[in-house]
Amino acid sequence: MLNVVADAVDGLRDEVAALGDQFRRRLLNDRETRRSVEELHQELDHTRKLAEGRTVQPLLYDLVLLLDRVERETDPFADSVRAELSTVLEKYGMTRMPIEAGVFNPATQEAVGTVPALSPDLVGHVARIVRHGYAMGPRLIRAQQVLVHAAE
């Protein structure tokens, strides 16, 4: 009888060990599946952002050009259109770059002309913004177009 109990205990021990191995394999498999799903989500998000950039960005850039034209007007209707265009651009993540006074920054600004500097200290500094710059998240869409002080 003792042999029967010992055999039963050995059988249970083997079954528990097999179940433990199966549990560990499934746990590792679940971790791998979760990691794969996360990678697929990241890849899908990246692809979606690229697709948005190819379709939405050109339209938003055209709206920026329209906003440039409207900003030259001074009547109340133009003010209303300017406000609506700005709202649409912001809704889709396009932001107007802050005005950067000081030294010309080629990373965010484009020099479209020069102005004689009244003093040597002003050489290389922004004299005036001609057209505002825009960014979409961290991506520069259009650099600020500026006039730069130059030596006479």
Side-chain angles (χ1 to χ4, degrees), residues 17-75:
L19 287 172
D21 288 343
Q22 184 179 8
F23 177 76
R24 279 188 280 287
R25 281 194 307 274
R26 285 194 177 167
L27 186 62
L28 289 172
N29 187 31
D30 287 350
R31 285 182 189 157
E32 182 62 28
T33 301
R34 215 177 354 262
R35 187 187 62 75
S36 296
V37 168
E38 286 176 14
E39 286 177 4
L40 286 172
H41 277 288
Q42 289 173 352
E43 187 175 326
L44 178 63
D45 188 48
H46 178 71
T47 302
R48 183 181 47 77
K49 286 178 182 177
L50 288 175
E52 283 177 358
R54 282 192 287 268
T55 56
V56 174
Q57 187 175 324
L59 174 62
L60 294 176
Y61 186 80
D62 288 344
L63 290 176
V64 166
L65 295 176
L66 181 59
L67 183 59
D68 287 341
R69 290 180 62 195
V70 171
E71 285 183 334
R72 289 186 222 131
E73 303 298 323
T74 57
D75 61 81

Side-chain angles (χ1 to χ4, degrees), residues 1-11:
M1 170 102 147
L2 204 48
N3 286 342
V4 172
V5 171
D7 287 343
V9 168
D10 286 342

Side-chain angles (χ1 to χ4, degrees), residues 48-110:
R48 183 181 47 77
K49 286 178 182 177
L50 288 175
E52 283 177 358
R54 282 192 287 268
T55 56
V56 174
Q57 187 175 324
L59 174 62
L60 294 176
Y61 186 80
D62 288 344
L63 290 176
V64 166
L65 295 176
L66 181 59
L67 183 59
D68 287 341
R69 290 180 62 195
V70 171
E71 285 183 334
R72 289 186 222 131
E73 303 298 323
T74 57
D75 61 81
F77 178 72
D79 291 341
S80 171
V81 172
R82 179 179 25 259
E84 285 188 50
L85 284 172
S86 294
T87 300
V88 168
L89 291 172
E90 289 173 11
K91 177 181 174 183
Y92 288 96
M94 187 84 81
T95 55
R96 181 178 278 188
M97 295 172 55
I99 295 173
E100 292 182 30
V103 179
F104 171 74
N105 180 354
T108 59
Q109 297 173 326
E110 174 187 358

